[in-house]
Amino acid sequence: MPTEQQVNDWVEAYVRAWRSNAPEDIAALFSAGAEYHEWPYETDWIGRQEIVKGWRSREAWQQGGWDFEWSVLMINGDTAAIKGTGVYKELGTFANLWTVTFDDQGSCAMFRMWNNQV
């Protein structure tokens, strides 16, 4: 079971990767077999390399910068629920709910995000 500190460390790495947009920072978030799912595309599962590729495509609209706050809602077994609010200067404010499943080494094995513009 991950600790709240481990979850916070992972989210800080997520924020760092989102801000840097560097492939190595993005790839470091996920285990080799990690899968990603973003609601409402429940059957749209992609692997680690596709995650990196998808994040890299944000570059064009990311330039204005952003701010983000989060809180850990619960940790249940190997899964953590995380609530966050992101403010993107170009696009407005987003409310996010993430669920992150960790592998035995504490790396992200599955990542789901529900993203709603406020």
Side-chain angles (χ1 to χ4, degrees):
M1 179 183 296
T3 66
E4 187 163 349
Q5 183 61 52
Q6 286 174 311
V7 174
N8 277 304
D9 289 347
W10 185 86
V11 177
E12 287 173 5
Y14 178 98
V15 171
R16 182 168 52 253
W18 191 269
R19 286 182 172 149
S20 74
N21 211 31
E24 60 273 17
D25 288 342
I26 299 166
L29 290 171
F30 304 96
S31 62
E35 294 183 288
Y36 170 82
H37 159 187
E38 184 168 1
W39 183 89
Y41 307 105
E42 295 187 3
T43 59
D44 185 17
W45 296 91
I46 60 175
R48 178 186 179 123
Q49 293 307 314
E50 289 301 310
I51 295 170
V52 176
K53 185 172 150 185
W55 280 38
R56 293 292 291 168
S57 69
R58 301 174 297 110
E59 194 166 7
W61 57 262
Q62 188 196 351
Q63 298 303 317
W66 69 294
D67 201 3
F68 192 79
E69 294 181 359
W70 74 88
S71 58
V72 178
L73 299 181
M74 66 178 185
I75 298 174
N76 181 15
D78 59 358
T79 301
I82 303 161
K83 181 180 180 182
T85 303
V87 180
Y88 303 81
K89 292 179 182 175
E90 298 91 340
L91 300 176
T93 301
F94 289 78
N96 302 289
L97 178 65
W98 306 335
T99 56
V100 179
T101 301
F102 295 90
D103 62 19
D104 292 341
Q105 287 73 46
S107 296
C108 177
M110 185 180 296
F111 175 67
R112 297 184 182 190
M113 181 170 70
W114 291 259
N115 191 333
N116 298 291
Q117 189 165 12
V118 177

